[in-house]
Amino acid sequence: MKNKMITSRDDDFAKWYTDVVRAAHLADYSSVKGCIVIETNGYAIWEKMQEILDKKFKELGHVNCQLPLLIPESLLRKESELVEGFAPEVAWVSEGGDKKLDERLCIRPTSETMFSDYYSTHVKSYRDLPLLYNQWCNVLRWEKETRPFLRSREFLWQEGHTIHATEEEAMKETNQMVEVYHWFHNEILAIPSICGKKTDKEKFAGAEYTLTNEALMYNGVALQAGTSHYFGQKFSKAYDIKFTNQENKEEYVYQTSWGTSTRMIGGLIMVHSDDYGLVLPPRIAPRQVVIIPIGNCQEVVDLANQYEQILNQNHITTYIDDTNKSIGFKFAEAEVNGIPVRIEIGERDLKEGEITFTRRDTREKIKATLDIDVVDYVSHLLDVIQHDMYERAKKRRDALTYEAHNLKQMEEILNTQPGFIHAMWCTDKACEEKIKEIRGCKSRCILEGAKPIDDKCVCCGKKADKLVVWGIQY
Amino acid sequence: MKNKMITSRDDDFAKWYTDVVRAAHLADYSSVKGCIVIETNGYAIWEKMQEILDKKFKELGHVNCQLPLLIPESLLRKESELVEGFAPEVAWVSEGGDKKLDERLCIRPTSETMFSDYYSTHVKSYRDLPLLYNQWCNVLRWEKETRPFLRSREFLWQEGHTIHATEEEAMKETNQMVEVYHWFHNEILAIPSICGKKTDKEKFAGAEYTLTNEALMYNGVALQAGTSHYFGQKFSKAYDIKFTNQENKEEYVYQTSWGTSTRMIGGLIMVHSDDYGLVLPPRIAPRQVVIIPIGNCQEVVDLANQYEQILNQNHITTYIDDTNKSIGFKFAEAEVNGIPVRIEIGERDLKEGEITFTRRDTREKIKATLDIDVVDYVSHLLDVIQHDMYERAKKRRDALTYEAHNLKQMEEILNTQPGFIHAMWCTDKACEEKIKEIRGCKSRCILEGAKPIDDKCVCCGKKADKLVVWGIQY
């Protein structure tokens, strides 16, 4: 029986999304327009994301630090492209401690300026390089239209900022980090993502180029996931980040930045969840298994406790729901919260030597005999779920991936069932603008080195050799 | 040989402190007045603090969430005492997205208002209670005079906010959390702290009472550490947080909050460090052991690798310094960064069947034979260091703890060598004001239930039965 709090996904996708967010206690609106409360279930997913990414970043030599929330206006204005890109969407602090400030301070929308300012006084020699810094923090962008997780005025993210002695090394870092996000999406979030390069129009303000991961939601709308930017010497020249190289000459550093955010919680919902609520891939689920004892005979209680203990000992996050609620309520709650595996232990089943496992993703019930090795059994089941969820998402993505050779085809696709559209592009910005007129469709990324599917631009028909993925975006 | 970057602690304590902060790469000033950059070594300590406290909070049933950074002015003004306490030191956002806002938003100095607002729409019945929430975040207070970690306009902290169905339960929580901080200071940070109750003058704005931990720095100045506040129904009445109790009657919830911050990094420095740089208790040190190979003969390298591997496997955080720097430089660097144990492995020593351990806290060198079980040996050494650091800090604290029976004695102490002064108090605010005139000395806390040391107030001489600890504070 479907959850009554949740609108059907096929009836109204937008409403379904916010219903799932609310029903699974992931986030709620707050008294501050455009800002959300990340509720306990949502925050637990973010903690898990942080744990996994932070470990990976550190394995690759990155270290964490924390820079100020506020940026003096004069500092922000040193790099003109960044200012132009972000100025319309920042919040300004103009009073502090009951006094008007001499200079406005902006709440960070991103921290390239602050890192550049810091680096400029901390680097002297090539021996100091590279510096591979990252910070986990909140940022603010004064968005007009907001949606929980996907677009919110304040959000949580990590921003890596690195500086290097050579262009080659910095480019390698840019590549490496987009690959880390790719791994994270595919292996952990079970969200198939495409890596590519942003067009100049869509790249990050101030970047020489931006590498991106693009994912497709269930409804065929694209979500820009982790991005990685190469800045070359743009910021180092604007902020004077110089070092003495091995030839004892002064040189500007080469810089990168890369980030991902709580927006990916929105991605998880939009790719995997259903009319019964949240569905989480086991590797990102804060709680992987719920045990629901049915009745309270000693045998049932003992087995529940035994399973809980041995599963947790083997790093499978497990809890028993032994609250006073009805069994039906417990089932629905585990379901709406997206617990990947539910184990029911009942007196009658035990007598027949059986227990029941239920997969959240397929809602399939599986009977098992009591002689199983529960750790092996559940580990395997979680792996299967993780694998199947990825495959299902990929199948959906592939089914919504099209080719277009002219604008008419593009329009048809976008007006029928949007998705990723592969089409050739001549590199003219005017064509991007024109395509955007069709339901706001934008270039998602250039598939560099990919085999052309045509020799003409999908828009103007002129010679084209860039294969681009297009789509409507969140 | 003492570190040349660091002023002697006995010559100029304030300068010594900032020298250690800078030399150990804990923090640096930023381009934003009053805000610091928490550098990588400082942030690693904060990560360790978070890891230990977060685990403890969760064991006690607390869960994390994240509320907005910005608070609408009207919401803040609902509880008058809180506003009066914090209004002079908040920063206001008045423009967002290129437009003047209809209502000013304040950057959170603390989040009682936001949690109260959230709770008011999420609690219906006693079955929903208690809610035991915590958040790790940044807050802003527009301080006039700042000092890295100790008092900074922006700082990182955790703030727990809980609501309960009964007064008794909420008071129990208030007590429990001040005890958690007490445990954290004593057992983890090796900082002996006193638990007590703040006077009405010194309690948190809006609280019915505040429990506090007070620590004494090396120079005899007090530092208020983790505090825990009981609000009763003050906020629940102001923000309308009602629930239906077991008798089916509407009632206001009982509320607490408790917090600790990056300020404790400052405490660690001021209690333990010396003229050679940072000294860290092993339980909070992000890196506990450094191995410095001397020379690069295979035997030395192999043993260094073997030790590193086995120590890390046994959860003793260890790294090898195999950089190109000179041995002297490596020693000084490990020292200034406060790595608790240094292991030197040299070719000559190996031939004699020896290796050298150096304790950071005492700078004592200890020769050991090669047949030791290195894990047992280092574990034990770390325990001894942790224990000794606590005992040394306690001895210092006790030596700087005095009794005073009249103002003259108090003045003498504060003008000679300040510390904790035990003295009786009549509970009159006027006496607190008068005592404050002596070098800004304030009541640190009331030692409830402690044996009186006199029957007269230290200030006015009237009847007094409260034993209070007084001191100059950071």
Side-chain angles (χ1 to χ4, degrees):
Chain A
M1 201 180 67
K2 91 169 258 320
N3 192 305
K4 282 174 194 162
M5 283 177 70
I6 301 173
T7 306
S8 164
R9 180 171 59 178
D10 291 328
D11 288 351
D12 183 343
F13 193 80
K15 181 83 171 49
W16 164 82
Y17 175 76
T18 48
D19 285 350
V20 172
V21 167
R22 293 291 299 112
H25 299 291
L26 299 173
D28 195 5
Y29 299 102
S30 77
S31 291
V32 196
K33 211 186 150 212
C35 295
I36 58 167
V37 171
I38 303 182
E39 294 184 282
T40 53
N41 285 349
Y43 200 78
I45 299 174
W46 181 237
E47 286 181 314
K48 192 83 193 167
M49 288 183 173
Q50 287 186 292
E51 180 194 324
I52 293 167
L53 283 172
D54 197 66
K55 183 163 175 272
K56 178 62 89 177
F57 296 158
K58 284 178 176 158
E59 281 168 8
L60 297 170
H62 304 94
V63 280
N64 289 333
C65 61
Q66 192 76 196
L67 269 62
L69 171 75
L70 302 174
I71 309 172
E73 184 164 12
S74 55
L75 192 68
L76 189 71
R77 295 210 176 275
K78 279 193 180 177
E79 209 294 313
S80 59
E81 285 179 48
L82 189 87
V83 176
E84 278 166 35
F86 283 102
E89 53 176 53
V90 299
W92 292 102
V93 175
S94 46
E95 295 160 74
D98 270 348
K99 275 188 192 155
K100 202 170 148 46
L101 304 181
D102 294 336
E103 182 183 16
R104 291 197 301 179
L105 301 169
C106 125
I107 299 184
R108 65 179 161 224
T110 178
S111 302
E112 276 71 16
T113 49
M114 293 305 279
F115 273 91
S116 295
D117 186 45
Y118 175 75
Y119 284 144
S120 71
T121 61
H122 281 78
V123 175
K124 290 194 179 83
S125 146
Y126 69 92
R127 284 183 209 91
D128 301 329
L129 296 171
L131 287 179
L132 308 173
Y133 288 179
N134 176 61
Q135 75 177 359
W136 294 94
C137 64
N138 53 347
V139 286
L140 222 93
R141 295 179 189 176
W142 214 256
E143 306 280 359
K144 284 191 193 90
E145 283 186 42
T146 61
R147 203 189 288 257
F149 296 121
L150 295 178
R151 199 168 286 276
S152 160
R153 286 188 174 168
E154 184 190 7
F155 57 91
L156 305 182
W157 78 344
Q158 61 66 220
E159 44 180 328
H161 295 268
T162 70
I163 52 174
H164 307 261
T166 67
E167 184 182 46
E168 190 196 349
E169 209 188 280
M171 285 181 170
K172 212 173 135 191
E173 169 83 5
T174 311
N175 253 313
Q176 172 185 267
M177 298 320 290
V178 85
E179 287 298 334
V180 165
Y181 295 135
H182 188 71
W183 161 84
F184 180 65
H185 299 143
N186 288 268
E187 296 299 316
I188 309 296
L189 306 185
I191 298 178
S193 80
I194 301 174
C195 275
K197 199 184 212 170
K198 285 283 180 192
T199 62
D200 277 350
K201 185 172 180 296
E202 298 297 331
K203 73 181 182 187
F204 181 84
E208 284 207 0
Y209 62 79
T210 290
L211 303 180
T212 183
N213 279 279
E214 298 287 328
L216 197 68
M217 305 298 98
Y218 182 85
N219 63 343
V221 174
L223 188 74
Q224 177 180 306
T227 48
S228 182
H229 317 291
Y230 175 69
F231 293 113
Q233 297 178 314
K234 239 178 200 176
F235 280 89
S236 63
K237 282 178 180 166
Y239 291 86
D240 203 33
I241 322 175
K242 277 183 292 207
F243 71 104
T244 312
N245 66 19
Q246 297 209 37
E247 286 79 45
N248 209 27
K249 280 185 192 144
E250 270 207 335
E251 197 177 345
Y252 291 103
V253 301
Y254 299 84
Q255 202 163 350
T256 87
S257 81
W258 30 274
T260 195
S261 75
T262 38
R263 139 174 274 215
M264 291 317 296
I265 300 174
L268 276 176
I269 301 168
M270 291 206 163
V271 170
H272 299 302
S273 297
D274 62 20
D275 288 355
Y276 303 91
L278 188 64
V279 183
L280 286 176
R283 290 195 193 135
I284 203 68
R287 298 179 296 179
Q288 298 172 306
V289 176
V290 55
I291 300 172
I292 299 183
I294 299 173
N296 44 21
C297 86
Q298 200 53 43
E299 243 184 309
V300 167
V301 173
D302 287 348
L303 191 63
N305 288 335
Q306 185 198 320
Y307 277 9
E308 187 206 21
Q309 197 184 358
I310 197 170
L311 288 170
N312 278 315
Q313 275 165 359
N314 285 276
H315 310 293
I316 298 170
T317 325
T318 305
Y319 70 103
I320 300 176
D321 186 351
D322 53 7
T323 55
N324 279 332
K325 301 160 189 166
S326 74
I327 298 297
F329 190 91
K330 288 180 187 186
F331 282 10
E333 193 167 63
E335 197 153 61
V336 78
N337 288 334
I339 315 298
V341 169
R342 187 175 83 209
I343 308 179
E344 293 150 45
I345 306 179
E347 200 177 343
R348 202 183 312 162
D349 283 352
L350 279 196
K351 278 193 185 127
E352 288 168 25
E354 279 183 349
I355 31 170
T356 308
F357 292 82
T358 306
R359 287 173 64 157
R360 171 61 186 92
D361 64 329
T362 56
R363 308 187 66 238
E364 181 191 353
K365 283 190 178 242
I366 309 159
K367 294 270 183 193
T369 51
L370 278 171
D371 58 358
I372 54 163
D373 176 326
V374 73
V375 174
D376 279 357
Y377 190 89
V378 174
S379 292
H380 177 69
L381 189 55
L382 292 172
D383 283 346
V384 170
I385 294 172
Q386 181 83 27
H387 173 267
D388 289 358
M389 285 182 72
Y390 177 82
E391 289 302 327
R392 256 195 313 278
K394 191 165 175 300
K395 208 172 147 192
R396 176 87 189 163
R397 200 251 337 246
D398 292 347
L400 301 183
T401 299
Y402 314 93
E403 275 189 16
H405 299 269
N406 55 54
L407 276 191
K408 198 166 165 279
Q409 287 179 350
M410 237 173 163
E411 255 186 279
E412 253 178 45
I413 295 164
L414 291 167
N415 287 325
T416 319
Q417 167 59 60
F420 278 151
I421 306 175
H422 289 228
M424 300 305 293
W425 176 56
C426 64
T427 75
D428 189 345
K429 214 182 219 177
C431 290
E432 278 184 279
E433 300 282 7
K434 199 163 176 193
I435 291 170
K436 204 182 153 190
E437 287 168 15
I438 319 172
R439 304 193 58 194
C441 178
K442 286 184 181 179
S443 62
R444 310 306 319 147
C445 60
I446 304 167
L447 299 177
E448 289 195 300
K451 208 177 144 216
I453 57 168
D454 202 331
D455 57 1
K456 292 187 301 289
C457 175
V458 67
C459 181
C460 67
K462 285 184 193 149
K463 198 169 175 301
D465 62 359
K466 298 272 181 215
L467 178 57
V468 168
V469 182
W470 306 82
I472 296 169
Q473 72 173 28
Y474 274 107
Chain B
M1 203 179 67
K2 89 170 257 322
N3 193 306
K4 281 175 194 162
M5 284 175 70
I6 301 173
T7 306
S8 164
R9 180 172 58 179
D10 291 327
D11 288 352
D12 183 344
F13 192 81
K15 181 84 171 50
W16 164 82
Y17 174 76
T18 48
D19 285 351
V20 172
V21 167
R22 293 291 298 112
H25 300 291
L26 299 175
D28 196 4
Y29 299 102
S30 77
S31 290
V32 196
K33 213 186 147 210
C35 295
I36 58 168
V37 171
I38 303 182
E39 295 185 281
T40 53
N41 285 348
Y43 200 78
I45 298 174
W46 181 237
E47 286 181 314
K48 193 81 193 167
M49 288 182 172
Q50 287 187 289
E51 179 194 325
I52 293 167
L53 283 172
D54 198 66
K55 184 164 175 271
K56 177 63 86 177
F57 296 159
K58 284 177 176 157
E59 282 168 9
L60 296 170
H62 303 95
V63 280
N64 288 332
C65 60
Q66 192 76 196
L67 268 63
L69 172 74
L70 302 175
I71 309 172
E73 185 165 9
S74 55
L75 192 67
L76 189 70
R77 294 208 178 275
K78 278 193 182 175
E79 207 293 312
S80 60
E81 285 179 49
L82 189 87
V83 176
E84 278 166 35
F86 283 101
E89 54 177 51
V90 299
W92 293 101
V93 177
S94 46
E95 293 160 74
D98 270 349
K99 275 190 192 153
K100 203 171 148 43
L101 303 182
D102 294 336
E103 182 182 16
R104 293 196 301 179
L105 302 169
C106 125
I107 299 184
R108 65 177 160 226
T110 179
S111 301
E112 276 72 15
T113 48
M114 293 305 280
F115 273 90
S116 296
D117 186 45
Y118 175 75
Y119 284 143
S120 70
T121 61
H122 282 77
V123 176
K124 290 197 179 82
S125 146
Y126 70 92
R127 284 185 208 87
D128 302 329
L129 296 171
L131 288 179
L132 308 173
Y133 288 178
N134 176 61
Q135 75 177 358
W136 294 93
C137 65
N138 53 347
V139 286
L140 223 92
R141 297 180 188 176
W142 214 256
E143 306 279 359
K144 284 190 191 91
E145 282 185 44
T146 61
R147 203 189 287 258
F149 296 120
L150 296 178
R151 199 169 285 276
S152 161
R153 286 188 174 168
E154 183 190 6
F155 57 90
L156 305 181
W157 80 344
Q158 61 66 220
E159 43 180 329
H161 294 268
T162 70
I163 52 174
H164 307 260
T166 67
E167 182 183 48
E168 189 196 351
E169 209 189 281
M171 284 183 171
K172 209 172 139 194
E173 169 83 5
T174 311
N175 252 313
Q176 171 184 268
M177 298 320 290
V178 84
E179 288 298 334
V180 165
Y181 295 134
H182 188 71
W183 161 84
F184 181 64
H185 299 141
N186 288 267
E187 296 299 315
I188 308 297
L189 306 186
I191 298 178
S193 80
I194 300 174
C195 275
K197 199 183 213 171
K198 286 282 180 193
T199 63
D200 277 350
K201 185 172 180 297
E202 299 297 330
K203 74 181 181 188
F204 182 84
E208 284 207 3
Y209 62 79
T210 290
L211 303 180
T212 182
N213 279 279
E214 298 287 327
L216 197 68
M217 305 297 100
Y218 182 85
N219 63 344
V221 174
L223 189 74
Q224 176 181 307
T227 47
S228 183
H229 317 292
Y230 175 69
F231 293 114
Q233 297 178 315
K234 238 177 199 176
F235 280 89
S236 63
K237 283 179 179 167
Y239 291 86
D240 203 32
I241 321 174
K242 276 184 291 207
F243 71 103
T244 312
N245 66 19
Q246 296 208 38
E247 286 78 45
N248 210 27
K249 280 186 191 144
E250 269 207 337
E251 196 177 346
Y252 290 104
V253 300
Y254 298 84
Q255 202 163 350
T256 86
S257 82
W258 30 274
T260 194
S261 74
T262 39
R263 137 173 276 214
M264 292 317 295
I265 300 174
L268 276 175
I269 301 168
M270 291 207 163
V271 170
H272 299 301
S273 297
D274 62 21
D275 289 356
Y276 302 91
L278 188 63
V279 183
L280 287 176
R283 289 193 194 138
I284 203 68
R287 297 179 296 180
Q288 298 172 305
V289 177
V290 55
I291 301 172
I292 300 184
I294 300 172
N296 42 22
C297 85
Q298 200 53 44
E299 242 184 308
V300 167
V301 173
D302 287 349
L303 191 63
N305 288 334
Q306 185 198 317
Y307 277 9
E308 187 208 20
Q309 198 186 355
I310 196 170
L311 287 170
N312 278 315
Q313 276 166 359
N314 286 276
H315 311 292
I316 298 170
T317 325
T318 305
Y319 70 103
I320 300 177
D321 186 352
D322 53 7
T323 55
N324 280 332
K325 300 162 190 165
S326 73
I327 298 297
F329 189 92
K330 288 180 185 185
F331 283 9
E333 194 168 62
E335 197 152 60
V336 77
N337 288 333
I339 315 299
V341 168
R342 187 175 83 210
I343 308 179
E344 294 149 44
I345 306 179
E347 199 177 342
R348 202 183 312 162
D349 283 350
L350 278 196
K351 277 191 188 129
E352 288 169 25
E354 279 184 350
I355 32 169
T356 308
F357 292 82
T358 306
R359 286 173 65 156
R360 172 62 187 92
D361 63 330
T362 57
R363 308 186 66 237
E364 181 192 353
K365 282 188 180 244
I366 309 158
K367 294 271 182 193
T369 53
L370 279 172
D371 57 358
I372 54 164
D373 176 327
V374 74
V375 174
D376 280 357
Y377 190 90
V378 174
S379 291
H380 177 70
L381 190 54
L382 292 172
D383 283 347
V384 169
I385 294 171
Q386 181 82 28
H387 173 265
D388 289 358
M389 285 182 71
Y390 177 80
E391 289 301 327
R392 257 196 310 280
K394 190 164 176 300
K395 208 172 147 191
R396 177 86 190 165
R397 201 252 335 246
D398 292 347
L400 301 185
T401 300
Y402 315 93
E403 274 188 15
H405 299 269
N406 54 55
L407 275 191
K408 196 164 166 279
Q409 285 179 351
M410 236 173 164
E411 255 187 279
E412 253 177 45
I413 295 164
L414 292 167
N415 286 325
T416 319
Q417 166 59 63
F420 277 152
I421 305 176
H422 287 228
M424 300 306 292
W425 177 55
C426 63
T427 74
D428 189 345
K429 216 182 216 177
C431 289
E432 278 184 282
E433 300 282 7
K434 198 161 177 196
I435 291 169
K436 204 181 154 193
E437 287 169 17
I438 318 172
R439 303 193 60 195
C441 178
K442 287 185 182 179
S443 62
R444 309 308 317 148
C445 60
I446 304 167
L447 299 177
E448 289 195 299
K451 206 177 146 219
I453 58 167
D454 203 333
D455 57 1
K456 292 187 300 290
C457 175
V458 68
C459 181
C460 65
K462 284 182 195 151
K463 199 168 174 299
D465 64 359
K466 296 273 180 216
L467 179 57
V468 168
V469 182
W470 307 82
I472 297 168
Q473 73 173 26
Y474 273 107

mmCIF file of all heavy atoms in Angstrom, chain B residues 353-357 366-372 377:
data_model
loop_
_atom_site.group_PDB
_atom_site.id
_atom_site.type_symbol
_atom_site.label_atom_id
_atom_site.label_comp_id
_atom_site.label_asym_id
_atom_site.label_seq_id
_atom_site.Cartn_x
_atom_site.Cartn_y
_atom_site.Cartn_z
ATOM 1 N N GLY B 353 71.910 -2.254 19.057
ATOM 2 C CA GLY B 353 70.632 -2.843 19.493
ATOM 3 C C GLY B 353 69.713 -1.868 20.193
ATOM 4 O O GLY B 353 68.893 -2.245 21.027
ATOM 5 N N GLU B 354 69.826 -0.592 19.822
ATOM 6 C CA GLU B 354 69.054 0.435 20.532
ATOM 7 C C GLU B 354 68.231 1.313 19.599
ATOM 8 O O GLU B 354 68.585 1.523 18.439
ATOM 9 C CB GLU B 354 70.025 1.378 21.261
ATOM 10 C CG GLU B 354 70.526 0.855 22.569
ATOM 11 C CD GLU B 354 71.409 1.908 23.256
ATOM 12 O OE1 GLU B 354 71.761 2.934 22.622
ATOM 13 O OE2 GLU B 354 71.717 1.697 24.430
ATOM 14 N N ILE B 355 67.158 1.858 20.132
ATOM 15 C CA ILE B 355 66.462 2.969 19.486
ATOM 16 C C ILE B 355 66.136 4.020 20.544
ATOM 17 O O ILE B 355 66.099 3.709 21.735
ATOM 18 C CB ILE B 355 65.140 2.574 18.789
ATOM 19 C CG1 ILE B 355 64.491 1.418 19.549
ATOM 20 C CG2 ILE B 355 65.331 2.237 17.329
ATOM 21 C CD1 ILE B 355 63.099 1.159 19.107
ATOM 22 N N THR B 356 65.863 5.240 20.078
ATOM 23 C CA THR B 356 65.638 6.329 21.024
ATOM 24 C C THR B 356 64.227 6.875 20.907
ATOM 25 O O THR B 356 63.764 7.186 19.811
ATOM 26 C CB THR B 356 66.631 7.481 20.745
ATOM 27 O OG1 THR B 356 67.948 6.929 20.708
ATOM 28 C CG2 THR B 356 66.542 8.558 21.823
ATOM 29 N N PHE B 357 63.555 6.947 22.047
ATOM 30 C CA PHE B 357 62.234 7.578 22.128
ATOM 31 C C PHE B 357 62.398 8.929 22.811
ATOM 32 O O PHE B 357 63.143 9.033 23.788
ATOM 33 C CB PHE B 357 61.273 6.723 22.960
ATOM 34 C CG PHE B 357 60.927 5.431 22.295
ATOM 35 C CD1 PHE B 357 61.794 4.336 22.394
ATOM 36 C CD2 PHE B 357 59.763 5.299 21.549
ATOM 37 C CE1 PHE B 357 61.483 3.127 21.760
ATOM 38 C CE2 PHE B 357 59.455 4.099 20.926
ATOM 39 C CZ PHE B 357 60.317 3.018 21.025
ATOM 40 N N ILE B 366 64.691 8.561 25.873
ATOM 41 C CA ILE B 366 64.700 7.250 26.522
ATOM 42 C C ILE B 366 65.246 6.235 25.533
ATOM 43 O O ILE B 366 64.754 6.107 24.420
ATOM 44 C CB ILE B 366 63.267 6.831 26.920
ATOM 45 C CG1 ILE B 366 62.575 7.953 27.709
ATOM 46 C CG2 ILE B 366 63.292 5.538 27.727
ATOM 47 C CD1 ILE B 366 61.058 7.860 27.680
ATOM 48 N N LYS B 367 66.304 5.529 25.948
ATOM 49 C CA LYS B 367 66.859 4.487 25.079
ATOM 50 C C LYS B 367 66.095 3.188 25.342
ATOM 51 O O LYS B 367 65.824 2.840 26.500
ATOM 52 C CB LYS B 367 68.339 4.254 25.409
ATOM 53 C CG LYS B 367 69.239 5.436 25.100
ATOM 54 C CD LYS B 367 69.752 5.370 23.671
ATOM 55 C CE LYS B 367 70.691 6.545 23.402
ATOM 56 N NZ LYS B 367 70.966 6.692 21.973
ATOM 57 N N ALA B 368 65.779 2.482 24.279
ATOM 58 C CA ALA B 368 65.130 1.186 24.460
ATOM 59 C C ALA B 368 65.875 0.156 23.625
ATOM 60 O O ALA B 368 66.535 0.504 22.643
ATOM 61 C CB ALA B 368 63.676 1.267 24.034
ATOM 62 N N THR B 369 65.754 -1.076 24.053
ATOM 63 C CA THR B 369 66.406 -2.135 23.280
ATOM 64 C C THR B 369 65.474 -2.601 22.171
ATOM 65 O O THR B 369 64.267 -2.368 22.213
ATOM 66 C CB THR B 369 66.760 -3.327 24.186
ATOM 67 O OG1 THR B 369 65.571 -3.711 24.884
ATOM 68 C CG2 THR B 369 67.842 -2.941 25.189
ATOM 69 N N LEU B 370 66.072 -3.252 21.173
ATOM 70 C CA LEU B 370 65.307 -3.617 19.990
ATOM 71 C C LEU B 370 64.290 -4.725 20.225
ATOM 72 O O LEU B 370 63.428 -4.963 19.380
ATOM 73 C CB LEU B 370 66.255 -4.035 18.867
ATOM 74 C CG LEU B 370 66.878 -2.870 18.096
ATOM 75 C CD1 LEU B 370 67.939 -3.385 17.151
ATOM 76 C CD2 LEU B 370 65.797 -2.122 17.333
ATOM 77 N N ASP B 371 64.400 -5.409 21.372
ATOM 78 C CA ASP B 371 63.494 -6.539 21.593
ATOM 79 C C ASP B 371 62.150 -6.124 22.213
ATOM 80 O O ASP B 371 61.340 -6.980 22.545
ATOM 81 C CB ASP B 371 64.175 -7.613 22.451
ATOM 82 C CG ASP B 371 64.637 -7.052 23.789
ATOM 83 O OD1 ASP B 371 64.447 -5.827 24.015
ATOM 84 O OD2 ASP B 371 65.186 -7.812 24.595
ATOM 85 N N ILE B 372 61.914 -4.822 22.352
ATOM 86 C CA ILE B 372 60.628 -4.404 22.911
ATOM 87 C C ILE B 372 59.487 -4.745 21.952
ATOM 88 O O ILE B 372 59.682 -4.857 20.747
ATOM 89 C CB ILE B 372 60.566 -2.866 23.152
ATOM 90 C CG1 ILE B 372 60.925 -2.099 21.859
ATOM 91 C CG2 ILE B 372 61.424 -2.445 24.323
ATOM 92 C CD1 ILE B 372 60.526 -0.647 21.871
ATOM 93 N N TYR B 377 54.970 -0.845 24.099
ATOM 94 C CA TYR B 377 55.880 0.172 24.611
ATOM 95 C C TYR B 377 55.334 1.577 24.369
ATOM 96 O O TYR B 377 55.258 2.401 25.281
ATOM 97 C CB TYR B 377 57.250 0.005 23.936
ATOM 98 C CG TYR B 377 58.333 0.853 24.571
ATOM 99 C CD1 TYR B 377 59.100 0.346 25.634
ATOM 100 C CD2 TYR B 377 58.588 2.145 24.121
ATOM 101 C CE1 TYR B 377 60.086 1.124 26.222
ATOM 102 C CE2 TYR B 377 59.571 2.927 24.714
ATOM 103 C CZ TYR B 377 60.321 2.413 25.760
ATOM 104 O OH TYR B 377 61.289 3.174 26.351
#
